[in-house]
Amino acid sequence: MCDKLVVVFGATGAQGGSVAKALLEDGTFKVRIVSRDLSKPACKDLEKLGAEVVKADLDDVELLRAALHGAHAVFLVTNYWEYHDKIKEVQQGKRFADVAKQAGLQHVVFSGLENVYKLTNGKLEVKHFDGKGEIEEYFRQIGVPLTSVRLPFYFENFKSVCKPKKLPDGSGYALGLPMGNVPMHGMAVVDLGPVVVNVLKSPEKYIGKDIGLTAGSWTCDEYAKIISKYTGKNVVDGKMSADAYENLGFPGAVDLANMFRVYTMNILVRDTKLTSQLNANVRNFEEWMQHNKHVFDDL
């Protein structure tokens, strides 16, 4: 282990948890994890694995300064979905960037995304993308050494917001991805950790880069057939349109509908080869389903 300290934000969540565990397993860096609630079981588990655990909050400058004291590098994830508020997310990201600049961090690996509003010349707004794009831009404007890792659609979304829905006639289940016949990139969020470890090990190679991650791309019909194969249940492409998705009415439906619209435009760069270089064990969707078919037992 070297003396360089990496601080991981969001360590009790899916992305940060994956990164913290991968860093601890790798053993190259000292690891400090940050949480607003140190009583969470995930904090205790990571502490047992060797992480230093500290309390901090992206809304509190003094706590941020303390969390970054002595740090070489940081993994940062911001959460639009907590407040459904792009302005707040951007404020948090910029506040962190300012503190990172003052602290003299050598490398920030940020879970970023494209600024879709800018990319489409104002035609589409995807708030949970756009805010992260603005944060990326700000880091670079003020001269903080940054690598942005841009995840595709999470396979884990099939457990929750994109879980197949029962067909009215009871003959099976519909997968509601408004993608038409356009393949959609995907990846297991738990496979992010080794990617970030390898980025941190080669800063000279990756600082200044935007890394579009993906384990591959599949059409809605292909995703449905793979789910069917491993669950033994009849799952089909629901043939949903983006307009119908937008009208589902749940919080975030419009934002997600616009995300799917952007996905169908194929303007986002996602690199299967580079992803595999950064994580040789990244799983494709079929491999992920082999280990996660149990989550569909309640269909």
Side-chain angles (χ1 to χ4, degrees):
M1 180 184 287
C2 72
D3 290 330
K4 291 178 179 177
L5 172 67
V6 176
V7 180
V8 180
F9 282 75
T12 60
Q15 290 192 38
S18 171
V19 171
K21 287 171 188 171
L23 283 165
L24 289 163
E25 287 170 8
D26 177 75
T28 300
F29 302 98
K30 293 180 178 177
V31 180
R32 176 186 294 158
I33 67 162
V34 174
S35 177
R36 289 175 299 180
D37 181 0
L38 303 188
S39 68
K40 287 185 176 180
C43 289
K44 307 296 183 186
D45 292 343
L46 291 168
E47 190 171 30
K48 287 176 185 174
L49 292 173
E52 177 190 359
V53 181
V54 301
K55 183 173 182 175
D57 189 315
L58 291 174
D59 292 321
D60 189 316
V61 169
E62 292 308 315
L63 286 177
L64 286 176
R65 285 182 180 140
L68 297 187
H69 180 72
H72 167 75
V74 165
F75 172 74
L76 176 69
V77 57
T78 55
N79 187 4
Y80 165 83
W81 298 107
E82 183 173 4
Y83 302 101
H84 289 260
D85 186 340
K86 188 191 88 168
I87 293 172
K88 184 171 180 67
E89 182 181 21
V90 172
Q91 287 172 341
Q92 289 181 331
K94 288 183 174 181
R95 184 179 298 115
F96 176 88
D98 289 337
V99 175
K101 176 75 171 176
Q102 293 163 9
L105 284 178
Q106 298 300 299
H107 196 181
V108 173
V109 180
F110 175 54
S111 179
L113 286 167
E114 292 83 353
N115 186 334
V116 169
Y117 189 78
K118 181 179 283 189
L119 197 60
T120 62
N121 295 312
K123 292 177 183 175
L124 279 176
E125 182 179 37
V126 184
K127 292 177 182 178
H128 73 282
F129 274 58
D130 298 346
K132 292 175 181 65
E134 290 182 29
I135 294 167
E136 287 180 1
E137 293 161 13
Y138 186 74
F139 270 112
R140 287 171 174 147
Q141 283 170 13
I142 66 172
V144 175
L146 182 78
T147 303
S148 178
V149 287
R150 295 170 169 175
L151 281 160
F153 181 89
Y154 301 174
F155 294 155
E156 287 83 356
N157 287 333
F158 290 120
K159 299 179 182 182
S160 55
V161 67
C162 292
K163 198 165 188 175
K165 302 288 192 298
K166 195 165 189 175
L167 289 166
D169 63 4
S171 62
Y173 300 83
L175 195 58
L177 299 177
M179 292 292 299
N181 294 317
V182 179
M184 181 180 73
H185 286 284
M187 180 175 165
V189 69
V190 295
D191 286 337
L192 174 64
V195 170
V196 174
V197 171
N198 285 314
V199 167
L200 287 167
K201 284 181 172 180
S202 301
E204 71 289 343
K205 195 171 182 180
Y206 297 112
I207 285 175
K209 300 290 175 56
D210 300 320
I211 300 173
L213 299 171
T214 179
S217 60
W218 298 265
T219 64
C220 183
D221 183 62
E222 288 169 337
Y223 278 114
K225 284 177 177 173
I226 292 169
I227 295 172
S228 294
K229 176 179 176 180
Y230 288 96
T231 62
K233 295 171 181 177
N234 181 35
V235 181
V236 298
D237 178 357
K239 306 290 185 184
M240 180 174 277
S241 69
D243 288 349
Y245 196 98
E246 184 174 313
N247 290 325
L248 290 174
F250 63 86
V254 173
D255 209 59
L256 289 174
N258 281 341
M259 176 190 76
F260 287 119
R261 289 182 175 111
V262 173
Y263 283 167
T264 63
M265 296 165 72
N266 282 323
I267 58 174
L268 308 181
V269 178
R270 300 291 180 263
D271 190 331
T272 309
K273 184 178 179 181
L274 179 56
T275 303
S276 296
Q277 289 171 356
L278 289 165
N279 180 357
N281 296 312
V282 68
R283 290 164 291 178
N284 63 34
F285 185 58
E286 187 148 356
E287 291 165 334
W288 183 83
M289 273 300 305
Q290 287 174 4
H291 295 96
N292 288 274
K293 58 187 177 183
H294 62 278
V295 304
F296 299 96
D297 287 347
D298 61 347
L299 281 181

